[in-house]
Amino acid sequence: MAIRKIAQIGHPVLRQRAREVTRDELASPAIQQFIDDLIETMRDASGAGLAAIQVYEPIRICAIEVNQNPRYPYKPPIPLTVLVNPVLTPVGDETFDNYEGCLSVPNLRGVVARATHLHVRAWDRHGDAIDEVVHGLKAGTYQHEVDHLDGKLFVDRVTDPRTLTTWTEFERYHKDAFVERVTALVNRVGS
Ligand code: ZN
């Protein structure tokens, strides 16, 4: 396994639309090795998720995992999940305001409206079907990662630029109110 370099905002790869992966490709040792690298890189950087495009591979694969994450201590755990060719569909029209950050956008967070309830269809790393409805912060994480596969970054979706903050100023001025709001959300929708 190897830790890969993470592309930073401004690099054109982050603005590409990643291409679908075929079943044969997914079964190949090269892609399976790549998925191991993606997971290792995500964990090394304390990311809640990482899309292949962020490590310069414009293919539709992302990894998600939350487990006592020091960058996001308020996030409920998400077991390691690899999504291949994911398709997301909002369920209903409820949204919530998520304070997001990104390993490709250094030292910046901002508020993005995300669907609260989300239907997820994808393959896992073995090509088996994932078909589930996710909620709340978990749904927000999925939407952030799948945006990457379409060349989008969270800053594109920040509707009020006055919410932009460094991580230090987030801790100082925004965290308490945000954690209070998302705790209420987690208590209501379960994640
Ligand atoms: Zn990101």
Side-chain angles (χ1 to χ4, degrees):
M1 292 204 288
I3 292 170
R4 305 265 185 135
K5 189 176 168 198
I6 298 175
Q8 300 293 289
I9 185 170
H11 195 291
V13 73
L14 293 171
R15 296 309 191 170
Q16 292 182 31
R17 184 190 181 278
R19 66 170 179 80
E20 275 75 13
V21 179
T22 67
R23 277 191 183 278
D24 285 348
E25 273 182 296
L26 184 60
S28 70
I31 290 274
Q32 289 296 316
Q33 173 69 61
F34 170 76
I35 291 171
D36 288 339
D37 288 356
L38 186 69
I39 293 165
E40 190 180 16
T41 304
M42 171 181 70
R43 288 174 172 166
D44 177 70
S46 296
L50 190 64
I53 205 165
Q54 290 179 274
V55 292
Y56 304 88
E57 293 286 346
I59 53 177
R60 299 186 83 77
I61 297 179
C62 56
I64 293 167
E65 183 180 47
V66 176
N67 182 20
Q68 304 281 317
N69 189 311
R71 277 165 63 91
Y72 305 100
Y74 50 83
K75 283 195 183 210
I78 303 175
L80 177 63
T81 304
V82 174
L83 300 178
V84 180
N85 299 336
V87 176
L88 306 183
T89 312
V91 178
D93 49 18
E94 183 185 333
T95 63
F96 73 101
D97 285 341
N98 200 18
Y99 236 120
E100 299 194 6
C102 180
L103 295 173
S104 294
V105 181
N107 199 19
L108 200 65
R109 303 187 66 156
V111 172
V112 179
R114 295 295 189 185
T116 308
H117 309 286
L118 189 70
H119 187 188
V120 182
R121 276 165 297 175
W123 294 334
D124 68 12
R125 67 181 294 171
H126 308 295
D128 293 328
I130 294 172
D131 188 333
E132 60 177 342
V133 176
V134 297
H135 309 279
L137 291 176
K138 185 174 181 180
T141 301
Y142 277 49
Q143 288 164 86
H144 177 110
E145 296 311 322
V146 174
D147 267 357
H148 277 301
L149 306 182
D150 293 323
K152 289 200 181 80
L153 296 171
F154 83 86
V155 288
D156 308 351
R157 294 192 183 275
V158 171
T159 51
D160 184 354
R162 291 172 301 179
T163 65
L164 291 170
T165 176
T166 66
W167 284 68
T168 299
E169 304 303 3
F170 174 77
E171 290 281 330
R172 192 178 294 167
Y173 294 111
H174 306 285
K175 185 179 172 185
D176 289 349
F178 177 62
V179 169
E180 192 175 313
R181 275 198 292 112
V182 296
T183 301
L185 177 73
V186 169
N187 288 340
R188 184 164 61 84
V189 302
S191 60

